[in-house]
Amino acid sequence: MKFDLTQLDPITREFVQSNPGGSAIQVSSRGQRLYYLAVVLLLLFLLKFRWDYFVFFVTGYLMIWYAAAVFFRGGAAVLSWFGQGEEIVSDAEVAALDEKELPVYTILLPLYHEANIAEKIVRNMGRLDYPKEKLDVKLLLEADDDETRLALERTGLPPYCEVVTVPDAPPRTKPRACNFGLRRARGEFSVIYDAEDAPEPDQLKKAYIVFRRDQEKKVLCVQGKLNYFNARHNLLTRLFTVEYSTYFDLTLSGYQLFNLPLPLGGTSNHFRTAELRAVGGWDPFNVTEDCDLGIRIYERGYKTRLVNSTTYEEANAHVWNWIRQRSRWVKGFIQTHLVHYRNPFLTVKRLGLYGAFGGFLAVGGSAMMMLTNLIFWTVLLIYAGLLIHGFTHGLGLYDQIVGPHLPGGAYEGIRLGGMSFRAWPLVYYGQGEDPFWAVFSQIFFAGSLIMLFANFIFIGIGVAACVKRKFYYLIPVSLLMPFYWLLISIAAWKGFIQIFTKPFYWEKTIHGLTTDPITEEELHETT
C-alpha cells in the first residue's frame, strides 16, 4: 500500500518530509529491491545448475550471521552478568528528592479498544509516587473508539488526566498516536506506557535521577525494565517471562556496556521531551517504532540508559494472540533494518562502523535468527530421526556421519514411496575425498556443533536470568525454551510474509485476558 502525502495529517506528513528515505512509509528502496532480486536469481541459477554450490553458499551465509548474532547476544548477556549494565538508583536517593523541585512529567498512554481495563489504567497511574499536580497524563484515543472513551468517563478521570482524540487518518498506529500526544506534552520529561502497564510506583523519580546525573544532557532515553505480573498463569506466560527476564535483565544491559544502539522496549521509555521532539518523535509507519527510535537516538549522538525499575505488563496467555503480537514485532524489526540499512555506506557514516555492525546484529541479525530457527531446528529434528532409525538397524554414529555412503549396503534407510532416506554424511574424510569439500565439510561440521551447543548456552543464560530475578519457579520452564523459540520462528515467518502483504497493518494485542491482580505491595516485593 502506498500513501500520498495529502492523505496524511500534518504531524505525520512533517515526520515523513523531515526524514527523507528514513521512514518506513517506503518499506524498501528501488536499489534494495533490485539487489534482493539479483540475489534470488543467482541462487535459483545455482540451484538449477550447481545445487552443491547453492547449499554451500546459503548454508555458509546463514551459519556465519546466525553464529554472529548468537555470540553477540550471548556475549552481551554474559558481560551483563559479570558487569554492571544499568543505572542503579537507591531508595535513599529517591527519598532524598525534594518534591517541590520535581519537574512536570508527561505520561503518554495510547489506547485502542481498552474499555475492559479502563478502570485499571486510571488506577495504575494513580499509584505512581509523584506529585499529582505535576503529572500530565495524556490518554490517546482513536477517533472511532467511543467504547473506551465512555469507559474512561465512567471511571471519573482525575484532573491530571486528559483525553486526546487522534484524528482519523492513515496510518492508524500506536506511534502516530504518540506523536499527537508528544505535541501536547507539557512535561520536561515524558514516558510512554501501554494500557495494561503497572510500573513500580517510584519509577518516574528514578528516571528523573538518572537524567539529573547526566550533566552533559546526552542521555535522551531512560529505559525501564519490563516483566510480567501474570507469569504463573500458564506455560506460555512462563516461557514469555523467561524471555523477557533474559532480554531486559541481561541482554539489553549488555548492549549498554557495549555502547551500541539499544532497540527500546515498547513501553517505559522515559525521554527529555524537547530532545525527543528534536529527533522527530516516532515513525508513524513503523510497527515496532521503539526499535526504530533506539537506532535514531544513537544516530543523533544521544545515549540510552537502563534503570533498575520494572514495569509489569500482562503476558499474552493465548497462543494466537501471542503470535499476532510477535509477528508484528518481527515485522517491525525487518522494517527498521530495511530503513536504516538502505545504503550501507551511509549507515556506516551515520552510526560509525562499530555502531552499524552492532545495530545490524541487534535488529537484522535478531530477525534472521528468528526466521532461520524454524529451518535449522526442523532439519535437526529430521536428521535426529534418521540417525535414530540408523541406530535401530545396527549402524554406529561414525558410519552414518562420515561419508560418503557407499552403495550396496544392507541398510537402505526409511523408504517413502519409491525413495529412500537415511542420515546424510556431515563430514567427508579419508582417502580419495576431494580435498576442497573435505576441508569445508569439517569446517561446517565444527560450526554446526558450535551452533548446537550455543543453544545450551542460551538455556543457561535463561536460567541465570531467572536466578537474577529470583524467579526460581521458572528455572524448570527455562529448559523448555527451544520449543518456545520454534513458536517465535512461526510468528516471525508470519511477520515476514506481511512485509509483502500488509506492511503497515497494526495487529491489535488484546489485553485483559487474565485477571491476575497485582498490588502496590507486590510491586515492591518483586524488585
Side-chain angles (χ1 to χ4, degrees):
M1 179 179 180
K2 292 186 178 180
F3 293 97
D4 189 295
L5 289 180
T6 59
Q7 297 177 269
L8 309 179
D9 64 78
I11 294 176
T12 302
R13 185 164 55 248
E14 180 182 331
F15 181 92
V16 174
Q17 291 175 331
S18 61
N19 291 273
S23 170
I25 189 173
Q26 181 186 19
V27 179
S28 60
S29 67
R30 183 171 180 270
Q32 284 176 309
R33 291 192 292 272
L34 289 174
Y35 168 76
Y36 288 121
L37 177 62
V39 170
V40 169
L41 291 176
L42 176 61
L43 291 177
L44 290 175
F45 176 83
L46 286 177
L47 182 61
K48 178 173 177 60
F49 295 103
R50 288 302 304 262
W51 65 268
D52 52 345
Y53 280 18
F54 171 85
V55 172
F56 169 72
F57 283 120
V58 172
T59 306
Y61 180 84
L62 291 178
M63 282 182 60
I64 288 171
W65 284 112
Y66 187 93
V70 165
F71 286 111
F72 174 68
R73 293 185 64 135
V78 171
L79 180 63
S80 175
W81 177 265
F82 291 104
Q84 184 57 62
E86 63 187 59
E87 297 284 337
I88 302 298
V89 179
S90 67
D91 292 341
E93 288 179 277
V94 173
L97 284 174
D98 183 354
E99 293 200 346
K100 295 179 181 179
E101 297 179 359
L102 291 176
V104 175
Y105 221 114
T106 294
I107 298 174
L108 302 177
L109 263 166
L111 309 173
Y112 191 56
H113 294 323
E114 308 289 4
N116 59 321
I117 57 172
E119 185 178 346
K120 178 181 177 181
I121 293 168
V122 177
R123 184 176 69 245
N124 286 341
M125 293 304 100
R127 282 177 173 164
L128 291 170
D129 178 21
Y130 205 84
K132 298 300 184 282
E133 68 275 9
K134 294 185 177 182
L135 283 180
D136 173 36
V137 180
K138 306 295 187 189
L139 302 166
L140 311 174
L141 301 184
E142 297 292 337
D144 65 344
D145 193 5
D146 293 331
E147 55 178 324
T148 305
R149 185 175 292 100
L150 291 173
L152 289 171
E153 290 174 359
R154 285 196 294 267
T155 65
L157 290 177
Y160 54 81
C161 289
E162 176 191 3
V163 173
V164 177
T165 299
V166 181
D168 188 14
R172 297 184 64 176
T173 59
K174 171 184 169 182
R176 176 174 172 264
C178 288
N179 284 341
F180 271 86
L182 181 62
R183 282 296 175 94
R184 301 183 60 152
R186 296 189 295 105
E188 180 181 348
F189 300 99
S190 301
V191 61
I192 180 172
Y193 288 127
D194 281 343
E196 81 282 13
D197 284 358
E200 290 178 348
D202 60 359
Q203 187 174 110
L204 301 188
K205 290 182 176 179
K206 282 189 172 182
Y208 168 68
I209 290 172
V210 175
F211 282 121
R212 192 176 63 175
R213 290 174 181 173
D214 174 37
Q215 298 299 316
E216 297 180 353
K217 293 191 175 182
K218 283 294 185 179
V219 175
L220 193 155
C221 177
V222 174
Q223 170 72 65
K225 298 179 180 181
L226 305 181
N227 218 290
Y228 294 117
F229 59 75
N230 61 331
R232 297 178 185 269
H233 185 78
N234 60 20
L235 179 59
L236 180 60
T237 60
R238 283 175 164 84
L239 291 167
F240 207 171
T241 303
V242 173
E243 180 195 14
Y244 254 40
S245 298
T246 303
Y247 188 68
F248 284 96
D249 291 337
L250 293 176
T251 305
L252 271 189
S253 52
Y255 289 173
Q256 178 172 311
L257 288 170
F258 283 158
N259 192 28
L260 288 170
L262 265 67
L264 303 178
T267 176
S268 303
N269 316 133
H270 300 254
F271 302 99
R272 297 183 188 273
T273 305
E275 283 78 1
L276 179 59
R277 286 181 179 137
V279 302
W282 294 269
D283 183 352
F285 294 90
N286 193 309
V287 296
T288 313
E289 76 295 336
D290 43 347
C291 177
D292 169 79
L293 181 56
I295 301 292
R296 286 193 288 117
I297 286 173
Y298 187 92
E299 177 186 313
R300 300 293 181 93
Y302 290 106
K303 299 177 182 179
T304 299
R305 291 288 179 261
L306 266 73
V307 65
N308 62 326
S309 180
T310 301
T311 294
Y312 291 89
E313 300 188 296
E314 178 191 357
N316 258 313
H318 296 181
V319 173
W320 180 243
N321 195 41
W322 180 93
I323 287 176
R324 285 166 53 87
Q325 181 186 59
R326 181 54 59 102
S327 66
R328 172 171 57 80
W329 291 355
V330 178
K331 181 170 65 174
F333 266 56
I334 298 172
Q335 281 181 323
T336 302
H337 172 77
L338 290 173
V339 167
H340 288 278
Y341 290 82
R342 297 193 200 282
N343 185 330
F345 297 105
L346 187 58
T347 301
V348 170
K349 182 180 179 180
R350 293 197 312 257
L351 300 176
L353 183 61
Y354 179 73
F357 182 71
F360 180 88
L361 290 179
V363 180
S366 292
M368 193 194 71
M369 278 181 63
M370 289 182 264
L371 289 167
T372 54
N373 260 334
L374 186 61
I375 299 172
F376 284 135
W377 279 98
T378 300
V379 172
L380 176 64
L381 292 174
I382 291 173
Y383 195 76
L386 294 174
L387 281 179
I388 292 171
H389 190 269
F391 289 146
T392 61
H393 287 75
L395 271 68
L397 184 64
Y398 182 89
D399 295 329
Q400 297 188 76
I401 289 180
V402 178
H405 294 324
L406 299 176
Y411 176 66
E412 295 183 354
I414 299 175
R415 295 193 66 84
L416 293 175
M419 302 181 69
S420 178
F421 298 92
R422 59 179 295 177
W424 55 91
L426 296 177
V427 182
Y428 291 87
Y429 175 77
Q431 187 176 4
E433 291 295 342
D434 183 309
F436 176 83
W437 291 112
V439 169
F440 274 100
S441 71
Q442 293 168 48
I443 293 173
F444 278 135
F445 182 64
S448 299
L449 288 178
I450 290 172
M451 289 173 63
L452 177 63
F453 286 112
N455 285 278
F456 292 101
I457 294 173
F458 269 102
I459 292 174
I461 291 172
V463 172
C466 294
V467 171
K468 186 173 182 178
R469 269 278 164 184
K470 298 181 181 179
F471 288 168
Y472 303 116
Y473 70 96
L474 289 177
I475 291 177
V477 176
S478 64
L479 304 179
L480 302 176
M481 286 303 287
F483 299 101
Y484 181 72
W485 299 335
L486 285 175
L487 193 61
I488 289 176
S489 195
I490 292 170
W493 278 100
K494 180 175 178 289
F496 178 74
I497 292 170
Q498 283 193 349
I499 280 288
F500 303 96
T501 59
K502 300 177 180 179
F504 309 113
Y505 176 54
W506 189 280
E507 293 200 84
K508 175 75 174 68
T509 303
I510 302 172
H511 300 129
L513 296 176
T514 60
T515 56
D516 305 57
I518 185 165
T519 65
E520 187 168 332
E521 291 73 21
E522 287 173 319
L523 287 178
H524 285 297
E525 290 171 4
T526 49
T527 57

